[in-house]
Amino acid sequence: MAMSVAFISYGEEAERQQTNDNGDFWSELLASSEAFRQAKCQKEGLFFRCLSGYESSYFGYVGRDENHLDGSHLEFKVSIKYPLWGSLVDLDDSTKEDKRSQALYFAYTGKYDFYFGSRYSAPVISRQQNPGIFYQYQYDSRESGFQHFSLGYFHESNGQEIDDQQMFDSKVIELLDKICRENESNQCITDSRHQQEARAMATDYLSRGWDYLAASTKYTKRHSHDLFGRKIAVQTDFYFSARSYFNWQGLGFVEGREENIDWLADIDNPGDKVYDYRTFQLTINRKLDSLACEANQSRAQCLANNNPANWFDYMADNTEWNLTLMSGNELNHLSYQLEFIHYIAGHFPLKLMYFNGYGENISTYQRKSSYWMIGIDLW
């Protein structure tokens, strides 16, 4: 009987200990999540104060050659992320200044074209719908070296609906009627140029979509140079990402990828896949700092060691450049994008961009194109 009572007492004690351990685990998890929010989110503001930018976002005017069938338009791209969960990483080493964090994010990127003045009724066309969830491990206290590693699951589509030839032909007729609605010429509908324009516009409504796994990292290099009698700090960020495509959409609820259209031989190459055009991406971002203060210098000491500010300081402190290279899985179908961002008077973010390559629009990702843009860099 005594042994039975002892066994029951020991069992109750073990159960209480396990309950306490579970309580400590959840308490530590909640405390770490709150510390993450305090470190990463805005101190004041709206409920979604942890909302932040993901990819580059902008609003601008896209220009083309006057003979291009697509025409000039306004373009809006928005890309955001929000932490579903996050925590600070404890390295159990108080002597080492090495702050790290980890988080699970929801991300969304959308791109829209507004054909104001260049198409009948000025339609807004959805070009990209790219939601996803990703995990990121970040080195918060590093000035140079690897900054973060990410791995996530994404869906990418253009949010359109045409997936058969009958719907496409009907759309061409509808758009041709709109083109000729204000044209009094009887030959408008039979004009080959107008027919080409209607067909090009109809491709905007072709349905494309796929799911993919994306891995990415960021590496930062900081160094200084003596230039024009000043010590200039140079920061170069390297962003690299790679995709692996699944043969389904919507987490497997929809079979196959919408990457080939057999009945549009003039647009699609039946043997090509989406990974032949968009698998690897490298972005190089460069910024300058005219002060280049040392870590042990105060700002007053730093200013005293430099010559009076001039035009070069203004350009260096308010300008950055981006070069993005994209390719297929065999480094084929190379595309590139150049970006120049200048903060006018230190505040207004003017953005200039030039693109040349494949995948400008998901609906015609196999077609090579080029364009330039001038606009506002949002973040």
Side-chain angles (χ1 to χ4, degrees):
M1 184 67 178
M3 292 180 60
S4 177
V5 171
F7 179 77
I8 293 174
S9 299
Y10 176 78
E12 290 176 348
E13 180 63 27
E15 185 176 350
R16 282 196 297 270
Q17 181 64 38
Q18 183 177 2
T19 301
N20 291 335
D21 291 343
N22 290 337
D24 291 341
F25 170 79
W26 289 112
S27 297
E28 291 177 3
L29 183 65
L30 291 174
S32 181
S33 296
E34 181 59 29
F36 176 86
R37 291 174 64 87
Q38 292 295 329
K40 294 288 188 178
C41 302
Q42 302 175 44
K43 303 303 180 185
E44 298 177 357
L46 301 176
F47 174 76
F48 292 107
R49 60 191 179 97
C50 289
L51 199 66
S52 60
Y54 182 43
E55 296 180 0
S56 173
S57 298
Y58 56 81
F59 177 76
Y61 175 80
V62 173
R64 300 184 183 277
D65 182 272
E66 61 181 6
N67 294 320
H68 198 287
L69 293 173
D70 190 38
S72 300
H73 55 269
L74 299 175
E75 185 166 284
F76 174 59
K77 179 183 176 184
V78 59
S79 184
I80 56 176
K81 69 179 187 292
Y82 185 83
L84 303 175
W85 166 83
S87 70
L88 303 180
V89 177
D90 186 3
L91 300 178
D92 295 325
D93 188 355
S94 58
T95 63
K96 192 174 182 181
E97 183 66 24
D98 188 5
K99 297 180 180 179
R100 304 183 186 185
S101 61
Q102 59 182 341
L104 184 68
Y105 288 95
F106 168 77
Y108 169 78
T109 300
K111 189 163 71 172
Y112 306 86
D113 287 350
F114 181 26
Y115 287 86
F116 178 76
S118 58
R119 290 190 187 181
Y120 181 83
S121 76
V124 176
I125 307 295
S126 169
R127 295 296 189 186
Q128 182 186 28
Q129 302 297 319
N130 191 198
I133 293 178
F134 69 96
Y135 168 83
Q136 184 174 89
Y137 187 92
Q138 185 158 338
Y139 301 89
D140 297 311
S141 57
R142 288 185 180 178
E143 290 191 354
S144 295
F146 285 103
Q147 302 297 307
H148 64 67
F149 296 93
S150 302
L151 182 66
Y153 188 100
F154 294 84
H155 170 75
E156 184 177 43
S157 69
N158 57 354
Q160 301 298 342
E161 60 179 359
I162 294 181
D163 57 4
D164 64 54
Q165 188 168 4
Q166 183 177 356
M167 292 177 66
F168 181 78
D169 292 341
S170 298
K171 194 68 177 180
V172 172
I173 295 173
E174 174 191 334
L175 292 170
L176 185 59
D177 177 68
K178 290 181 178 180
I179 292 173
C180 297
R181 190 166 296 177
E182 297 179 356
N183 192 317
E184 296 179 357
S185 174
N186 295 328
Q187 286 77 35
C188 180
I189 292 181
T190 58
D191 183 82
S192 59
R193 172 70 181 185
H194 291 152
Q195 290 179 349
Q196 291 174 6
E197 289 179 355
R199 187 174 176 83
M201 293 178 188
T203 60
D204 294 340
Y205 301 92
L206 294 172
S207 178
R208 303 277 198 181
W210 37 73
D211 286 9
Y212 62 89
L213 192 69
S216 64
T217 186
K218 175 186 176 182
Y219 182 89
T220 297
K221 181 179 180 181
R222 290 181 60 89
H223 57 282
S224 60
H225 289 294
D226 290 326
L227 195 62
F228 296 112
R230 310 185 71 80
K231 197 170 186 179
I232 303 298
V234 181
Q235 177 175 320
T236 307
D237 296 320
F238 300 88
Y239 301 84
F240 178 76
S241 65
R243 295 181 177 186
S244 178
Y245 293 87
F246 297 102
N247 193 28
W248 64 68
Q249 297 184 65
L251 297 173
F253 289 99
V254 179
E255 185 178 353
R257 299 187 295 262
E258 291 182 293
E259 59 185 350
N260 289 116
I261 301 176
D262 297 334
W263 42 270
L264 275 183
D266 60 328
I267 294 179
D268 275 19
N269 300 316
D272 289 356
K273 306 297 182 184
V274 62
Y275 52 73
D276 292 319
Y277 294 83
R278 190 59 59 85
T279 295
F280 301 115
Q281 178 170 311
L282 173 66
T283 298
I284 304 172
N285 171 271
R286 173 160 283 198
K287 304 180 184 127
L288 304 179
D289 182 358
S290 63
L291 291 180
C293 301
E294 301 292 340
N296 58 353
Q297 278 187 315
S298 67
R299 184 171 180 85
Q301 291 174 324
C302 186
L303 288 169
N305 293 336
N306 279 282
N307 296 323
N310 55 32
W311 66 270
F312 181 77
D313 297 325
Y314 170 75
M315 292 299 295
D317 294 338
N318 294 288
T319 305
E320 60 182 89
W321 301 267
N322 291 323
L323 169 63
T324 300
L325 302 173
M326 295 153 282
S327 77
N329 61 334
E330 297 180 353
L331 301 182
N332 49 344
H333 299 114
L334 183 66
S335 304
Y336 67 90
Q337 181 171 294
L338 298 170
E339 298 178 46
F340 171 85
I341 302 169
H342 178 69
Y343 293 86
I344 299 175
H347 297 286
F348 185 81
L350 175 69
K351 184 185 187 85
L352 302 176
M353 185 168 68
Y354 177 76
F355 173 86
N356 186 292
Y358 303 88
E360 172 195 347
N361 296 324
I362 294 176
S363 58
T364 54
Y365 73 91
Q366 298 182 11
R367 179 184 294 170
K368 191 171 185 179
S369 62
S370 63
Y371 68 90
W372 57 267
M373 189 202 78
I374 180 170
I376 302 171
D377 186 69
L378 300 178
W379 54 77

